[in-house]
Structures are given as structure tokens and as C-alpha cells.
Amino acid sequence: MEKYDGGGGAVRPDDPWYDVSASGWGAPAGTEARPEPAELPPQAVAPGGEDERASAAEIYREVRAGAAFQEVRGRYRRFVVPACALFLTWYLAYVVAATTAPALMARPVFGPVNVAMLAGLGQFASTFVLTWAYARHARLRRDRLALDLRWETQQLTRGARG
């Protein structure tokens, strides 16, 4: 039986990231049902004398050098770098205008509201819009690929443990 993740795809039934509900979610009121902690197998020593942590480290290095990881990182950078540059430019323009052109910033727009107040409120609005855009970009462009990559990495490290 597969669990539904709500995003258009089914979650694998033994996915380690989805097997435990958040504290108290899905449990009847007052029961506070907690899952039994998973027992980890004892660490085995490889024939060459190295423990399995070395092989897990090698797996993570391989994953990091792999095309899927580079794609996730590339998608992240293609959004974050321009977004940060745009936001910092907008912020610095506001600060520079406030310090070098006080007459412009004091110009009334309507009633007691002036250009500086609108620009300051624009800073807050742009922060919320940028946060929304980042969350949307992550959900649509990176989350599924990152989850699949995490799943594959967990499977590989489980295989290295024995």
C-alpha cells in the first residue's frame, strides 16, 4: 500500500522520510502514540579493517559529484543568485535614495503618506513576494528531484551497511 503525498505522486511505502507522522498528528486525542525506535544494526568492520562509515562517505561523495545533485544545485543557484542580486539592489536603492535625496523621499503622495513610506512598505511587500516565489520555485522545480535523490542515497547507504 502506498501513501499519497498530496503532490501528484505516491510516496514509497518504506520511505524513511515519511514513515513517522509529526508529533500527535493522526493519533486519537489523548493517546500520544509514539512509534517504536528503529533498531540499528551493529557496525560491522570491513575485511580491510575499515568500518562502513568510509563506504557511506564514498557514497555521499559520489552522489555529490553526480548529475542529479548538480542539477538540484544548479536549479537552486539559478533562482537564488538573481533573486538576491535584485533584492539587494532594491534595498540599496532605497537606502541611497533616503540618504542622498531626502526631498524626493519627503514628497507627499496622498495625505500624510510620502514616497519614503511607500518605498518602506514596498520593502516589506517585496520580502513577502520573494519568500512566496522561493517556496513556489522549490516546490515546483527542486523538491521532487531532491526527494528522489535523498531516497536513492538512503538506499545506497543502507546497502553499504549490510
Side-chain angles (χ1 to χ4, degrees):
M1 179 172 154
E2 293 184 330
K3 294 186 231 173
Y4 179 69
D5 70 352
V11 177
R12 295 170 185 99
D14 56 345
D15 190 339
W17 303 103
Y18 286 98
D19 60 353
V20 178
S21 60
S23 63
W25 288 21
T31 61
E32 294 188 34
R34 296 183 187 242
E36 293 293 321
E39 290 189 31
L40 298 175
Q43 286 190 336
V45 176
E50 300 175 14
D51 63 17
E52 77 249 2
R53 290 184 190 174
S55 62
E58 290 171 9
I59 289 170
Y60 282 107
R61 275 196 236 51
E62 288 175 18
V63 168
R64 186 174 182 203
F69 183 82
Q70 296 304 320
E71 178 65 22
V72 172
R73 295 288 294 177
R75 289 180 183 188
Y76 172 78
R77 288 184 185 129
R78 282 190 296 271
F79 180 85
V80 168
V81 171
C84 285
L86 183 67
F87 186 79
L88 287 175
T89 302
W90 160 230
Y91 174 74
L92 292 175
Y94 173 73
V95 171
V96 168
T99 57
T100 60
L104 170 69
M105 298 300 268
R107 180 174 290 150
V109 176
F110 57 89
V113 177
N114 59 19
V115 173
M117 292 174 121
L118 288 179
L121 290 174
Q123 291 286 317
F124 284 105
S126 64
T127 301
F128 291 120
V129 167
L130 184 60
T131 302
W132 169 81
Y134 176 81
R136 182 176 186 276
H137 179 269
R139 185 182 72 245
L140 295 177
R141 306 256 194 271
R142 292 192 323 266
D143 285 353
R144 176 55 53 192
L145 187 59
L147 185 62
D148 290 342
L149 184 64
R150 184 184 325 169
W151 172 258
E152 291 169 13
T153 304
Q154 289 297 316
Q155 294 292 43
L156 289 171
T157 56
R158 281 186 190 140
R161 289 184 203 148

